Amino acid sequence: MSTEFSSIDFLINGEKRSVRVPPMKRLLDVLREDLHLTGAKEGCGEGECGSCSVRLNGELVNSCLVPALQAQGARIQTVEGLALDGELHPLQQAFLHCGGAQCGICTPGMLMAATHLLANNPHPSMAEIREGLAGNLCRCTGFTRIFESVISAAAQSGEERHAR
Ligand code: FES
Ligand code: FES
Protein backbone atom coordinates (compact mmCIF):
# COMPACT_ATOMS: atom_id res chain seq x y z
CA MET A 1 0.00 0.00 0.00
CA SER A 2 1.49 3.36 -0.95
CA THR A 3 1.52 6.38 1.34
CA GLU A 4 -0.16 9.43 -0.10
CA PHE A 5 1.82 12.64 -0.15
CA SER A 6 0.57 16.22 -0.24
CA SER A 7 2.29 19.46 -1.07
CA ILE A 8 2.30 21.76 1.93
CA ASP A 9 3.34 25.39 1.55
CA PHE A 10 4.09 27.72 4.41
CA LEU A 11 6.13 30.70 5.48
CA ILE A 12 8.78 29.61 7.91
CA ASN A 13 10.90 32.18 9.68
CA GLY A 14 9.90 34.60 6.95
CA GLU A 15 10.86 32.29 4.08
CA LYS A 16 8.45 30.54 1.69
CA ARG A 17 8.98 26.78 1.82
CA SER A 18 7.19 23.84 0.29
CA VAL A 19 7.38 20.18 1.29
CA ARG A 20 5.81 17.04 -0.08
CA VAL A 21 4.91 14.85 2.87
CA PRO A 22 2.14 12.58 4.16
CA PRO A 23 -0.53 15.05 5.35
CA MET A 24 -0.65 13.57 8.84
CA LYS A 25 3.11 13.70 9.32
CA ARG A 26 3.81 15.63 12.50
CA LEU A 27 4.96 19.21 12.01
CA LEU A 28 7.84 18.41 14.39
CA ASP A 29 9.08 15.73 11.99
CA VAL A 30 8.57 17.95 8.95
CA LEU A 31 10.68 20.63 10.59
CA ARG A 32 13.42 18.27 11.68
CA GLU A 33 13.52 15.75 8.82
CA ASP A 34 12.33 17.64 5.76
CA LEU A 35 13.54 21.15 6.55
CA HIS A 36 16.53 20.22 8.75
CA LEU A 37 15.42 22.71 11.38
CA THR A 38 16.42 20.64 14.39
CA GLY A 39 15.94 23.29 17.06
CA ALA A 40 12.53 21.96 18.09
CA LYS A 41 13.12 18.82 20.13
CA GLU A 42 11.06 15.75 20.81
CA GLY A 43 10.68 15.14 24.52
CA CYS A 44 7.43 13.40 25.34
CA GLY A 45 5.83 13.35 21.90
CA GLU A 46 2.47 13.74 23.66
CA GLY A 47 1.99 17.47 24.16
CA GLU A 48 3.19 17.44 27.76
CA CYS A 49 6.73 18.86 27.82
CA GLY A 50 6.85 21.81 25.39
CA SER A 51 10.29 20.98 24.01
CA CYS A 52 8.82 20.98 20.49
CA SER A 53 7.16 24.42 20.85
CA VAL A 54 6.94 26.66 17.79
CA ARG A 55 4.69 29.57 16.88
CA LEU A 56 2.05 28.90 14.25
CA ASN A 57 0.14 31.94 12.99
CA GLY A 58 1.13 33.74 16.17
CA GLU A 59 -0.02 30.97 18.51
CA LEU A 60 2.28 28.80 20.59
CA VAL A 61 1.81 25.14 19.63
CA ASN A 62 3.36 21.80 20.43
CA SER A 63 4.59 20.77 16.99
CA CYS A 64 4.45 17.09 18.00
CA LEU A 65 0.65 17.40 18.01
CA VAL A 66 0.23 19.34 14.76
CA PRO A 67 -0.29 17.43 11.50
CA ALA A 68 1.53 18.92 8.52
CA LEU A 69 -1.80 19.53 6.82
CA GLN A 70 -2.71 22.00 9.55
CA ALA A 71 0.35 24.06 8.66
CA GLN A 72 -0.79 24.61 5.07
CA GLY A 73 -0.49 28.33 4.33
CA ALA A 74 0.62 29.06 7.88
CA ARG A 75 3.22 31.43 9.20
CA ILE A 76 5.61 29.45 11.39
CA GLN A 77 8.36 30.70 13.65
CA THR A 78 10.94 28.34 15.11
CA VAL A 79 13.90 28.97 17.35
CA GLU A 80 16.07 29.23 14.23
CA GLY A 81 14.13 32.38 13.36
CA LEU A 82 14.99 34.27 16.54
CA ALA A 83 18.50 35.47 15.76
CA LEU A 84 18.67 38.24 13.19
CA ASP A 85 21.67 38.90 10.96
CA GLY A 86 23.89 36.78 13.18
CA GLU A 87 22.84 38.62 16.31
CA LEU A 88 21.22 36.64 19.09
CA HIS A 89 17.70 37.59 20.11
CA PRO A 90 17.63 39.39 23.49
CA LEU A 91 16.02 36.30 25.02
CA GLN A 92 18.84 34.11 23.74
CA GLN A 93 21.38 36.55 25.14
CA ALA A 94 19.58 36.61 28.46
CA PHE A 95 19.46 32.78 28.67
CA LEU A 96 23.18 32.79 27.99
CA HIS A 97 24.01 35.40 30.60
CA CYS A 98 21.62 34.21 33.30
CA GLY A 99 22.34 30.50 32.97
CA GLY A 100 18.83 29.76 31.69
CA ALA A 101 20.13 26.90 29.56
CA GLN A 102 21.95 23.89 30.95
CA CYS A 103 21.61 20.66 28.98
CA GLY A 104 19.69 22.67 26.38
CA ILE A 105 17.00 20.15 25.53
CA CYS A 106 14.18 22.32 26.79
CA THR A 107 15.78 25.58 25.68
CA PRO A 108 14.38 25.99 22.15
CA GLY A 109 10.87 25.37 23.46
CA MET A 110 11.43 27.70 26.41
CA LEU A 111 12.68 30.39 24.08
CA MET A 112 9.64 30.07 21.86
CA ALA A 113 7.26 30.13 24.82
CA ALA A 114 9.08 33.18 26.20
CA THR A 115 9.04 34.86 22.78
CA HIS A 116 5.31 34.27 22.60
CA LEU A 117 4.83 35.63 26.10
CA LEU A 118 6.82 38.81 25.47
CA ALA A 119 5.16 39.37 22.10
CA ASN A 120 1.83 39.54 23.91
CA ASN A 121 2.99 40.99 27.20
CA PRO A 122 6.34 42.82 26.94
CA HIS A 123 6.66 43.34 30.71
CA PRO A 124 5.19 40.32 32.45
CA SER A 125 5.07 39.84 36.21
CA MET A 126 6.75 36.79 37.72
CA ALA A 127 3.33 35.15 38.01
CA GLU A 128 2.67 35.82 34.33
CA ILE A 129 6.07 34.38 33.40
CA ARG A 130 5.35 31.24 35.42
CA GLU A 131 1.99 30.92 33.71
CA GLY A 132 3.41 31.66 30.26
CA LEU A 133 6.06 28.94 30.61
CA ALA A 134 3.84 26.47 32.47
CA GLY A 135 3.60 24.19 29.44
CA ASN A 136 7.37 23.81 29.20
CA LEU A 137 9.28 21.42 31.43
CA CYS A 138 12.94 21.62 32.44
CA ARG A 139 14.77 18.89 34.32
CA CYS A 140 17.96 20.86 34.93
CA THR A 141 17.58 24.46 36.01
CA GLY A 142 14.90 24.40 38.66
CA PHE A 143 13.25 27.11 36.49
CA THR A 144 14.57 30.05 38.54
CA ARG A 145 17.30 30.96 36.06
CA ILE A 146 14.89 30.61 33.18
CA PHE A 147 12.46 33.01 34.82
CA GLU A 148 15.33 35.41 35.55
CA SER A 149 16.35 35.20 31.90
CA VAL A 150 12.89 36.25 30.79
CA ILE A 151 12.84 39.14 33.28
CA SER A 152 16.24 40.24 32.03
CA ALA A 153 15.15 40.12 28.39
CA ALA A 154 11.94 41.97 29.16
CA ALA A 155 13.99 44.73 30.74
CA GLN A 156 15.65 45.33 27.40
CA SER A 157 13.84 47.18 24.69
CA GLY A 158 15.02 45.17 21.70
CA GLU A 159 12.52 42.34 21.79
CA GLU A 160 9.92 44.10 19.64
CA ARG A 161 12.42 44.39 16.80
CA HIS A 162 12.65 40.61 16.75
CA ALA A 163 9.00 39.69 17.32
CA ARG A 164 7.76 38.47 13.94
S1 FES B 1 7.56 16.63 22.44
FE1 FES B 1 5.88 17.89 22.01
S2 FES B 1 5.10 18.46 23.93
FE2 FES B 1 6.71 17.05 24.42
S1 FES C 1 18.22 22.82 30.53
FE1 FES C 1 18.10 20.64 30.59
S2 FES C 1 15.96 20.23 30.48
FE2 FES C 1 16.08 22.37 30.69
Side-chain angles (χ1 to χ4, degrees):
M1 197 171 80
S2 66
T3 307
E4 283 189 31
F5 284 70
S6 298
S7 285
I8 313 276
D9 307 302
F10 38 63
L11 201 63
I12 184 148
N13 298 328
E15 187 183 339
K16 278 186 188 174
R17 298 296 298 264
S18 184
V19 292
R20 198 162 166 74
V21 296
M24 294 308 289
K25 184 168 183 172
R26 303 182 310 171
L27 178 59
L28 175 62
D29 297 327
V30 173
L31 292 173
R32 293 180 58 84
E33 296 171 5
D34 298 280
L35 297 172
H36 309 295
L37 296 171
T38 55
K41 302 284 184 280
E42 174 152 16
C44 64
E46 298 177 345
E48 299 291 337
C49 74
S51 66
C52 63
S53 300
V54 300
R55 296 179 80 204
L56 181 82
N57 290 332
E59 296 298 327
L60 188 68
V61 300
N62 291 320
S63 62
C64 70
L65 297 182
V66 177
L69 190 61
Q70 200 174 315
Q72 169 61 34
R75 183 168 41 88
I76 300 168
Q77 185 186 30
T78 72
V79 73
E80 288 88 350
L82 290 186
L84 270 188
D85 301 327
E87 186 185 337
L88 290 180
H89 186 284
L91 272 164
Q92 292 172 308
Q93 291 177 5
F95 270 64
L96 203 57
H97 292 139
C98 299
Q102 290 187 18
C103 82
I105 290 292
C106 73
T107 309
M110 285 291 182
L111 284 167
M112 295 317 296
T115 298
H116 184 69
L117 172 67
L118 295 187
N120 292 294
N121 180 1
H123 298 290
S125 66
M126 181 58 90
E128 288 168 335
I129 292 172
R130 285 180 183 275
E131 188 182 337
L133 302 187
N136 294 70
L137 303 182
C138 176
R139 290 173 182 266
C140 304
T141 63
F143 292 95
T144 303
R145 289 182 177 191
I146 290 174
F147 297 154
E148 287 171 356
S149 302
V150 178
I151 289 170
S152 170
Q156 300 178 41
S157 58
E159 70 268 11
E160 286 168 23
R161 183 163 62 89
H162 295 268
R164 295 183 293 185

